[in-house]
Amino acid sequence: MNELSNYSIRDEIREFWSERAATFDQSVGHEVFSEAERRAWHRLIRKHLGEGNGRPLLDLACGTAVISHLMNDMGFSVTGVDWSEAMLEQARAKAAKRGTDIRFIMRDAENIGEPDASYEAITNRHLVWTLVDVPACFAEWYRLLKPGGRLLIIDGNMGRQGWVSRLHNSINRLLGRPDPKGHMDPAMAERHRRIRERVYFSDGMPAEAVVALLKAAGFADIVIDRKMSDIHWAQARKMPFWRAAERLASDRFAISATKH
């Protein structure tokens, strides 16, 4: 890992996501754009966490509260946490518009500041790959869960270029076309690349590596779930062809674990 201080890395991560807050919900794969996708998310949540029934749930790196609202739909009593005030402003505005009672607080995922055993479930999406100190975060999440509480991580090995991206780039080179542009402008894409080089999983994040760290933190009954095609198909239908193909071929997964 890069030897720059944790503070400077985390500060850059916070600024990067803060600048993306205003347009975050415009991207397919961030906000939910169809009832088919919403139902697919609810099936995944129910599979690993069951119905909410008023149970307290912590949604880490909640961003604009996309996952927070899915959890609220399921009947959980949701607290959304993010380190970006700009993201939380969007989240609070969305909650007010939808008439939901989600609580939002600004905290670092490594130091939530809530009492021990405060939550029966913890969720996060696309957070773990951004973390600087994953073992410390997992220890903090373990502390916050009640005995028998469940953790649900939704992420992927997205730093690894898949075969669809390689094929697309090869076709473009043969045809003399520039490499395809992503959904970020070049300056933001470069910042994203620099951040990725400095996080804990800078060399890729296979699910098995996440599982090993969860076990070290004390979690048990760990399950890797790659059966998320209903979510990805619903998202792909709203994407351009090559981005849709990349989404369907990418190594994305859910990991659930229990605090005994």
Side-chain angles (χ1 to χ4, degrees):
M1 288 180 56
N2 192 287
E3 292 299 320
L4 291 172
S5 73
N6 285 350
Y7 174 80
S8 65
I9 297 169
R10 290 169 175 151
D11 194 52
E12 185 169 346
I13 291 169
R14 176 169 56 183
E15 290 176 2
F16 176 85
W17 290 109
S18 292
E19 290 181 30
R20 297 198 64 198
T23 58
F24 187 82
D25 282 350
Q26 297 174 14
S27 298
V28 178
H30 292 166
E31 182 56 281
V32 176
F33 286 96
S34 70
E35 285 306 310
E37 183 183 352
R38 190 176 309 281
R39 289 192 298 270
W41 278 112
H42 287 163
R43 284 192 292 270
L44 181 73
I45 295 164
R46 188 175 292 110
K47 179 179 180 180
H48 292 284
L49 301 180
E51 298 291 345
N53 296 322
R55 290 182 290 151
L57 176 143
L58 184 68
D59 181 25
L60 295 166
C62 67
T64 62
V66 177
I67 300 299
S68 296
H69 276 98
L70 291 169
M71 298 298 173
N72 181 265
D73 293 343
M74 301 289 293
F76 288 95
S77 177
V78 182
T79 294
V81 174
D82 205 280
W83 204 28
S84 164
E85 182 58 37
M87 283 288 189
L88 290 176
E89 287 176 4
Q90 298 287 330
R92 292 186 183 107
K94 184 187 295 185
K97 183 177 180 179
R98 297 183 181 181
T100 57
D101 60 353
I102 299 170
R103 168 183 177 240
F104 295 105
I105 56 175
M106 188 169 70
R107 298 285 193 280
D108 179 1
E110 185 181 323
N111 186 17
I112 308 299
E114 298 277 86
D116 291 356
S118 295
Y119 295 95
E120 294 191 27
I122 294 177
T123 59
N124 58 81
R125 179 179 67 162
H126 303 168
L127 167 64
V128 175
W129 79 263
T130 73
L131 296 174
V132 176
D133 190 342
V134 177
C137 286
F138 285 0
E140 171 73 347
W141 305 352
Y142 190 89
R143 179 188 71 80
L144 290 170
L145 279 173
K146 297 180 180 182
R150 297 284 290 170
L151 169 68
L152 178 60
I153 293 170
I154 300 155
D155 222 302
N157 193 4
M158 292 175 282
R160 179 178 60 87
Q161 188 180 54
W163 68 268
V164 172
S165 296
R166 294 194 298 272
L167 175 62
H168 194 192
N169 291 338
S170 296
I171 290 172
N172 281 314
R173 283 193 294 271
L174 286 171
L175 297 177
R177 296 173 180 168
D179 287 341
K181 294 181 179 179
H183 58 281
M184 289 182 279
D185 66 53
M188 290 295 282
E190 175 60 20
R191 290 175 65 188
H192 188 268
R193 184 192 65 77
R194 292 199 307 268
I195 288 170
R196 188 179 288 279
E197 288 178 345
R198 294 153 59 190
V199 296
Y200 188 94
F201 284 115
S202 58
D203 296 325
M205 194 179 79
E208 292 75 14
V210 178
V211 168
L213 293 176
L214 288 171
K215 288 180 178 178
F219 286 97
D221 302 332
I222 303 171
V223 175
I224 301 172
D225 185 358
R226 289 188 167 89
K227 295 179 180 178
M228 300 174 63
S229 59
D230 52 351
I231 294 173
H232 299 150
W233 272 109
Q235 293 172 343
R237 291 188 182 100
K238 303 288 184 178
M239 294 175 173
F241 174 79
W242 282 107
R243 191 171 172 216
E246 289 170 359
R247 177 56 51 96
L248 294 172
S250 61
D251 181 17
R252 294 172 183 253
F253 46 78
I255 300 176
S256 60
T258 301
K259 175 179 178 176
H260 281 182

